[in-house]
Structure formats: structure tokens, C-alpha cells
């Protein structure tokens, strides 16, 4: 089968790989019909995630058709159209039993601090991902769900991560009616978080980024006010000014490890890999939120230390909340919102890339060329 | 020196108790934004509270069956056992495999050495793999693999206008091509030394 294959930082190609096999009785093999590239994949692509092995296949956002099932699979059958949450999880460990699906203890031998994720290095369990024709899906009775017939294929892909994550991020921010919410980052996660903040009753939503096409989407798709941080000498002061010198009630970090806006932080982390991630956005969040406020961290950081301004968080009495999103827990309510017309996820899809051209797709998304916001990957297309 | 910036008129928050007024009322927001307030009640938010017991997951086991371990699988020393399920992509091999195995065996996730060794092993892996690829019918090709061919036709200049990340994007080609140039130099030097040796 054809699969995206990592060849080292900034380098990928498509290779013929052996078909994935059922390795556990509750595995399924899924033939991927649409996948996506995520901002998280860029951290792998840039070589920032420890134990990312040459030869591995990325991709944790995908939908497809069940091709084969293991002997203990009860809820899926060959031919079912399925959407697969990016989390791999067992459903019954201490953490899954409490709804912490993204923190499953039974799927990742490589680390206890991280759950299982498809195509996301050995630090999340060493699974191959879905930017390929076929993919192994463990715990087929737990993670995947049949795509409802009213749901569009592209909307379904966005539900497997970006939309669910943005929605989850807004919930972690503990938004109350009338709160001023700042979202750092206008990528897919930030856009969906901004949109979701309104569902929770935000009184103002302000999105910060530096890329004009994305800020435009923040205004039109997410109905938000925007700040282009390159146009301010100090964006924290601007956040204070625009909130009447109070600071935002809630800030959502939807940027993560490769944050820009401070050359030293960016270069020491994203380029030189000396930090687990560039904490520029996280520090802006800590300094831009009001005392007693909440910072919700959706941006992903690696397991190595980062230069976070923890003293400010402590002295300001902040609540810091974070996690990988437990995707499937969000679905029933998200689906209601989609059916009510409150959310139309694929409005932010900008590019559809054939699997064979995925190297160019990564470069375009990474360098943010051609207004690329959310690229999908289509196996077999050309 | 006294601060001579003008005090903003009307600026009383946060020096007094009330929040600054919002630009729009809830009714205006509801009219403008689809679904505004649909999840106002925390009871409607699926992630609240964070921990809940008794969710239906579809699992029909207490502890999942063990996936067979066909070759020794590295694991964190903070795990009491091999997890019931694990990924089998790219097993450990070569020098990078030795470093990775050592990082897993020797250091917990709490130790910086654990992660820094894994990052170092990633760099070793890339070099090993590039060299190995030279002996295959499909050697690594930094041009097609880096995707730079996507620059053409995708507005490389306009897309980057006004962005601060352009300042360090110039480092990307150095990171991609640099090691090849270095390796080329080393090979050239070695080759030259060898030729000299043979001649004398
Ligand atoms: N928690 C989760 O479950 C989860 C799931 C998916 C993605 N993520 C993470 O969320 C983050 C965003 O994902 P995405 O797909 O939207 O990525 P993306 O790369 O498309 O978006 C990131 C955006 O942040 C902007 N940015 C950079 N520095 C900034 C700064 N200092 N201030 C404000 N904006 C800045 C960039 O211009 C870009 O538009 C990534 O770190 C990703 O790994 C987390
Ligand atoms: Zn993702
Ligand atoms: Zn679990």
C-alpha cells in the first residue's frame, strides 16, 4: 500500500509499505478515504517530537471504510464507513473509566505521561497513522464510530481532531456569560475554539495571529475581533488596552510548540530543539489573562522543559487547564450543534492534496503558502 | 521622572469593582452569532466535569487482552508492565536503536536525559537512514522530499508578506541542505586523502 513516510526533519516521501495487519483481537484495518494534515503534524515534521523514527507514517485525522476486523470486534463490520478519533484508547483503564480518553494507560508503552495517538511518534505509542491507503485501528469497538449518514465526509474528518479540540479547548476555559475570551492562534484549532467560545456565551472573542488570511477567517467564520501581533510592539499591552486594562477573563492557547513572536524562543525550540516547545504564546496567555483568570492550553508541547513564566501564573492566581482532547466525548453534543447549523467544519478547508503529493502539501502548510489553513489528503487521488 | 502618558479617560477598571461594559448585549450576540449561548449551562458541556464515571465506551473487557510481543518492545520504566496494546511501527535498529533502548532502560520520563537522548537518537536515525538510502534504488532526494517544489505557483512572496516567521524561515533550507553539504565535504576530504595515500 502507499503511505506517507517520514525521512528526517523537513523530509517526507510516499512509499510502498506492507499492508497493516490485525495484531490484537480488537483491531480493525481501515481503508482511508480522506485524511488531514494537522498543526500537530508540523511538530513531527520539524523534528521536534522525541522518538520520531525515520520510516514512520503520520496522520491522526482520518475517515475510511472498515477493510478487516479482528476476532473480538463486535460493533463494526467490514464495509462500515467510520470516523476515527485521533486518540487510541482502551475504554476501561483507570483513566478511560473516568472519561479521560486521551490519557489512556493501556496503549502507550513508551510513555506514561502521554496517551496513544495515531501516527504521532513513539512517544505516543509507535503507531502508524492514516496518511496512507490503510491503517491499523486498535480497539475498534471503542474509538471509531460509524459516520452518520447526514454527515459530509470532510466534516467527519474535521470532527476527528480540529473541531473537537477547539470545542474542548473552549470548555476547558470555563467560559461564563459575558466573558472576554482571547484565542491565540488562528489555525484550525484556534478558529474552532473561537467559534465554540460563543456557544458557551462569551461576550467578546478576540483572535490573535500574524497571518492575514487566517485573521480574515477569524472575522468571517468565527465572528471574532482580531489582532495581528506583528502590528503591535507588545501584544500583551494591546490585550490589556483592549480589555480596559483588566486583561482577558479567559485565554486559549491554540498555537503550541512552534510559536513565533520571539526569535530566541522560536529558534531555541523549533529550530535547535533545546526546549520542548516555544512558550511564546503560552507566556502571552499567562501575561494577557486577568488575575484569577483561566488559561486553556490546546497548543501541543513536547516533553522537554520549556521556559514558561510560571511565576506570573502563580502570582496572578491563574487556573491553567490543558489536555489532549478526548475527542469522542465531544461528539454527541458537537453533532447536535452541526445539525442545528451552528457549526460547519469544512468551511475552513482550503486544500485537497493527493497522497502522492503530500511532501508538497506539508511544505505548503508548514510555510503557510497560498492561504493554506486546513489541507486534506486524499489517497489514490492525483 | 514622572510618567507623562495621558491617563485614559474613563479608565476606572480594574481600579474599581465592575467589569468594563461589553460592546453588545446577549440579545444582539444571539442575533448575530449562530448558536450563541447554546452551551451556556455547564451541564450541556460534554467535557464538564472533567472526570465522569460510567460513560458508555463500547469496551467489553475489564482488562484488554495482551497483544503478542514478537520482539522485545522498549518501554518507559514508569510502566509496571508492557501495555496490552502497542504500536509496531519501525522497531529499534542500528546505532539510533542502541541509544533509544538505553534512554528507555536507564532514565524515567522525569529525567531530561531520557528525552535529550531520544532527540539525539532521532538525529542519528536521520543520518543512518540517509546513508542507508544511498545503497538502495531510491536514495533520499532532499529536493522532492522537502516539498519545496510547492513554492512555484503558490505565491511564495505574497504569502509571506508582513510575517515575522520569515526571519527564521531562512534557517529551514540550512537545516535541510546543511547536513548534505557537510556530508559531501567530509566524503570529498576523505576521498582526496585516500587518493593521495594511494599515489604516494
Ligand atoms: N490538545 C489537542 O488535543 C490538540 C489537537 C490538535 C492540535 N493541537 C495543537 O494545537 C496547535 C494548533 O493546531 P493547528 O492545527 O490550528 O495549527 P496551525 O499551525 O495551523 O496554527 C497555529 C497558528 O498559530 C499562529 N501563531 C504562531 N505564533 C503565534 C503567537 N505567538 N501568537 C498567536 N498566534 C501565533 C500561526 O501563525 C498559526 O496560524 C498545535 O500546537 C497543535 O499541535 C492540540
Ligand atoms: Zn491533530
Ligand atoms: Zn484506557
Amino acid at each position: 500500500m502507499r503511505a506517507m513516510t517520514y525521512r528526517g526533519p523537513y523530509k517526507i516521501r510516499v512509499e510502498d509499505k506492507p499492508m497493516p495487519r490485525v495484531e490484537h483481537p480488537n483491531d480493525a484495518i481501515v481503508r482511508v478515504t480522506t485524511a488531514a494534515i494537522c498543526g500537530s503534524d508540523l511538530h513531527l515534521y520539524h523534528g521536534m517530537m522525541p522518538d520520531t523514527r525515520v520510516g514512520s507514517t503520520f496522520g491522526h485525522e482520518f475517515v475510511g471504510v472498515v477493510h478487516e476486523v479482528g476476532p473480538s470486534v463486535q460493533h463494526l463490520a467490514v464495509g462500515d464507513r467510520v470516523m476515527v478519533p485521533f486518540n487510541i484508547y482502551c475504554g476501561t483503564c483507570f483513566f478511560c473509566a473516568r472519561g479521560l480518553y486521551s490519557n489512556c494507560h493501556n496503549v502507550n508503552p513508551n510513555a506514561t505521561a502521554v496517551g496513544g495517538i495515531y501516527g504521532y511518534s513513539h512517544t505516543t505509542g509507535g503507531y502508524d497513522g492514516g496518511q496512507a491507503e490503510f491503517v491499523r485501528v486498535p480497539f475498534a469497538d471503542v474509538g471509531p464510530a460509524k459516520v452518520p449518514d447526514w454527515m459530509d465526509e470532510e466534516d467527519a474528518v474535521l470532527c476527528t481532531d480540529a473541531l473537537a479540540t477547539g470545542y474542548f479547548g473552549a470548555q476547558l476555559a470555563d467560559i461564563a456569560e459575558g466573558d472576554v475570551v482571547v484565542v491565540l492562534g488562528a489555525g484550525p484549532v484556534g478558529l474552532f475554539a473561537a467559534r465554540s467560545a460563543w456557544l458557551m456565551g462569551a461576550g467578546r472573542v478576540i483572535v490573535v495571529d500574524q497571518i492575514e488570511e487566517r485573521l480574515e477567517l477569524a472575522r468571517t467564520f468565527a465572528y471574532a475581533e482580531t489582532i495581528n501581533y506583528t502590528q503591535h510592539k507588545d501584544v500583551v499591552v494591546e490585550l490589556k488596552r483592549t480589555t480596559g486594562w483588566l486583561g482577558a477573563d479567559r485565554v486559549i492557547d491554540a498555537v503550541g510548540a512552534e510559536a513565533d513572536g520571539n526569535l530566541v524562543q522560536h529558534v531555541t525550540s523549533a529550530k535547535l530543539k533545546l526546549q520542548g516547545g516555544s512558550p511564546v504564546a503560552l507566556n502571552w496567555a499567562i501575561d494577557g489573562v486577568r488575575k484569577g483568570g483561566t488559561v486553556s492550553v490546546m497548543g501541543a508541547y513536547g516533553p522537554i522543559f520549556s521556559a514558561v513564566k510560571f511565576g506570573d501564573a502563580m502570582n496572578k492566581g491563574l487556573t491553567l487547564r490543558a489536555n489532549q482532547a478526548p475527542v469522542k466525548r465531544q461528539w454527541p453534543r458537537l453533532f447536535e450543534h452541526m445539525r442545528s447549523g451552528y457549526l460547519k467544519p469544512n468551511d475552513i478547508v482550503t486544500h485537497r492534496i493527493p497522497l502522492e503529493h503530500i511532501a508538497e502539501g506539508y511544505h505548503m502548510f508548514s510555510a503557510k503558502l497560498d492561504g493554506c489553513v486546513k489541507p486534506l489528503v486524499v489517497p489514490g487521488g492525483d | 521622572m514622572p510618567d507623562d502618558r495621558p491617563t485614559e479617560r474613563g479608565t476606572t477598571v480594574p481600579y474599581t469593582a465592575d467589569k468594563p461594559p461589553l460592546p453588545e448585549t446577549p440579545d444582539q450576540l444571539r442575533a448575530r452569532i449562530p448558536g450563541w449561548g447554546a452551551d451556556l449551562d455547564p451541564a450541556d458541556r460534554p467535557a464538564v466535569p472533567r472526570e465522569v464515571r460510567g460513560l458508555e465506551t463500547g469496551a467489553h473487557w475489564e482488562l484488554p487482552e495482551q497483544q503478542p510481543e514478537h520482539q522485545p518492545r522498549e518501554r518507559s520504566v514508569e510502566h509496571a508492565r508492557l501495555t496490552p496494546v502497542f504500536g509496531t511501527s519501525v522497531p529499534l535498529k542500528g546505532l539510533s536503536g542502541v541509544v533509544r533502548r538505553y534512554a528507555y532502560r536507564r532514565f524515567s520520563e522525569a529525567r531530561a536525559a531520557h528525552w535529550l537522548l531520544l532527540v539525539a537518537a532521532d538525529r542519528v536515525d536521520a543520518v543512518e537512514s540517509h546513508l542507508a538510502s544511498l545503497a538502495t534504488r531510491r536514495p533520499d532526494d532532499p529536493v522532492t522530499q522537502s516539498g519545496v517544489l510547492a513554492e512555484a505557483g503558490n505565491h511564495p512572496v505574497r504569502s509571506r508578506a508582513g510575517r515575522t516567521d520569515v526571519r527564521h524561515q531562512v534557517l529551514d533550507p540550512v537545516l535541510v541542505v546543511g547536513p548534505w553539504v557537510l556530508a559531501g565535504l567530509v566524503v570529498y576530504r576523505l576521498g582526496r586523502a585516500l587518493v593521495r595515500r594511494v599515489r604516494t
Side-chain angles (χ1 to χ4, degrees):
Chain A
M1 66 146 187
R2 303 292 283 166
M4 168 277 168
T5 310
Y6 176 67
R7 295 298 307 168
Y10 295 86
K11 288 180 290 295
I12 57 185
R13 70 182 183 192
V14 180
E15 282 180 12
D16 286 315
K17 277 190 153 185
M19 276 288 287
R21 288 176 306 112
V22 168
E23 305 193 41
H24 178 275
N26 209 246
D27 280 0
I29 305 300
V30 167
R31 177 170 59 79
V32 178
T33 50
T34 307
I37 307 178
C38 174
S40 304
D41 292 327
L42 295 179
H43 311 327
L44 297 176
Y45 178 61
H46 295 149
M48 293 182 69
M49 189 70 169
D51 209 354
T52 303
R53 299 184 191 173
V54 172
S56 55
T57 296
F58 302 166
H60 55 267
E61 309 184 359
F62 57 90
V63 297
V65 176
V66 177
H67 176 74
E68 187 186 345
V69 289
S72 85
V73 175
Q74 299 178 357
H75 306 318
L76 289 184
V78 171
D80 284 344
R81 243 184 105 222
V82 287
M83 48 204 290
V84 183
F86 77 80
N87 326 102
I88 299 174
Y89 63 107
C90 74
T92 53
C93 69
F94 179 94
F95 305 100
C96 288
R98 287 160 178 77
L100 300 170
Y101 302 156
S102 49
N103 310 104
C104 179
H105 211 65
N106 275 338
V107 289
N108 179 3
N110 298 75
T112 56
V114 197
I117 303 179
Y118 293 95
Y120 209 70
S121 85
H122 275 68
T123 295
T124 73
Y127 297 90
D128 272 332
Q131 289 164 7
E133 288 182 310
F134 294 89
V135 58
R136 171 190 171 209
V137 172
F139 295 120
D141 282 333
V142 179
K146 289 179 201 160
V147 181
D149 16 284
W150 53 269
M151 194 183 289
D152 175 83
E153 167 107 354
E154 296 188 351
D155 287 338
V157 183
L158 288 164
C159 286
T160 64
D161 182 355
L163 176 65
T165 299
Y167 184 56
F168 175 68
Q171 294 173 71
L172 280 200
D174 279 332
I175 297 165
E177 182 168 348
D179 275 351
V180 175
V181 179
V182 167
V183 179
L184 299 174
V189 172
L191 291 167
F192 288 134
R195 188 68 189 257
S196 304
W198 294 121
L199 299 177
M200 325 267 149
R204 275 178 83 191
V205 177
I206 305 165
V207 175
V208 181
D209 202 301
Q210 65 160 330
I211 296 174
E212 272 307 326
E213 291 96 343
R214 292 178 174 221
L215 290 172
E216 177 63 24
L217 269 178
R219 291 186 288 268
T220 54
F221 169 80
Y223 305 95
E225 302 166 51
T226 56
I227 294 176
N228 183 331
Y229 69 78
T230 62
Q231 289 164 9
H232 297 275
K233 212 164 59 204
D234 185 335
V235 73
V236 169
V237 175
E238 176 58 16
L239 290 176
K240 292 286 166 66
R241 194 198 58 75
T242 186
T243 53
W245 302 100
L246 180 62
D249 297 297
R250 320 283 163 201
V251 181
I252 300 170
D253 165 4
V255 179
E258 299 187 50
D260 254 298
N262 178 316
L263 196 61
V264 173
Q265 291 271 29
H266 180 89
V267 169
T268 53
S269 50
K271 302 296 189 245
L272 302 178
K273 286 83 171 158
L274 300 175
Q275 297 195 63
S278 155
V280 182
L282 184 52
N283 287 341
W284 286 354
I286 288 171
D287 288 325
V289 75
R290 73 165 165 85
K291 283 175 267 195
T294 307
V295 173
S296 157
V297 186
M298 284 301 100
Y301 295 86
I304 301 176
F305 35 75
S306 299
V308 177
K309 297 189 65 186
F310 203 77
D312 286 359
M314 188 274 162
N315 288 308
K316 291 176 74 170
L318 303 186
T319 302
L320 300 182
R321 305 196 64 197
N323 208 349
Q324 298 282 348
V327 169
K328 204 176 182 183
R329 239 176 105 173
Q330 320 306 316
W331 280 355
R333 185 70 178 162
L334 260 187
F335 292 0
E336 282 176 34
H337 291 327
M338 287 164 70
R339 294 201 93 171
S340 310
Y342 300 160
L343 295 166
K344 178 64 183 138
N346 87 336
D347 281 353
I348 67 158
V349 172
T350 50
H351 292 74
R352 293 158 182 88
I353 298 159
L355 177 61
E356 294 299 323
H357 294 275
I358 195 165
E360 282 103 79
Y362 265 83
H363 178 74
M364 179 157 59
F365 182 51
S366 166
K368 282 137 176 103
L369 299 179
D370 195 35
C372 188
V373 176
K374 188 68 182 177
L376 301 184
V377 177
V378 190
D382 32 29
Chain B
M1 201 172 70
D3 186 346
D4 56 2
R5 281 172 308 163
T7 298
E8 281 192 30
R9 286 206 304 155
T11 305
T12 54
V13 187
Y15 307 96
T16 55
D18 290 330
K19 276 179 104 168
L22 289 169
E24 287 168 290
T25 64
D27 284 338
Q28 286 169 319
L29 289 167
R30 201 172 272 119
R32 182 168 74 90
I33 293 153
W36 184 88
D39 289 339
L40 252 180
D41 182 352
D44 285 327
R45 304 180 185 177
V48 180
R50 183 192 290 248
E51 295 191 15
V52 238
R53 295 299 299 258
L55 292 171
E56 181 48 59
T57 65
H60 39 84
W61 47 79
E62 229 170 84
L63 173 68
E65 282 176 65
Q66 178 63 49
Q67 173 182 336
E69 182 185 15
H70 294 299
Q71 44 189 310
R73 182 62 163 80
E74 72 285 357
R75 69 167 196 255
S76 164
V77 293
E78 293 175 53
H79 262 304
R81 52 166 285 180
L82 179 63
T83 53
V85 160
F86 52 88
T88 51
S89 166
V90 206
L92 297 176
K93 60 172 191 298
L95 179 60
S96 58
V98 173
V99 178
R100 284 168 174 150
R101 188 170 288 118
Y102 178 72
Y104 281 107
R105 275 242 175 98
R106 178 73 184 72
F107 300 105
S108 79
E109 297 161 55
R111 304 284 297 276
H114 175 83
W115 301 108
L116 293 172
L117 279 171
L118 288 176
V119 169
D122 288 352
R123 304 292 91 88
V124 173
D125 185 8
V127 172
E128 281 180 326
S129 304
H130 292 323
L131 290 178
S133 84
L134 298 179
T136 67
R137 292 226 305 256
R138 200 180 170 201
D140 277 320
D141 172 353
V143 176
T144 54
Q145 291 179 2
S146 65
V148 284
L149 298 178
E151 292 280 333
N154 284 312
H155 318 293
V157 180
R158 200 197 328 143
S159 298
R160 291 186 171 91
R163 281 163 48 183
T164 53
D165 53 334
V166 178
R167 288 186 297 164
H168 53 71
Q169 271 189 18
V170 297
L171 286 175
D172 295 351
V174 177
L175 287 176
V176 176
V177 180
W180 290 85
V181 173
L182 276 180
L185 270 177
V186 169
V187 169
Y188 172 76
R189 281 268 173 102
L190 282 177
R192 208 176 51 173
L194 209 68
V195 169
R196 282 208 186 129
R197 194 75 34 117
V198 171
R199 278 197 189 142
T200 54

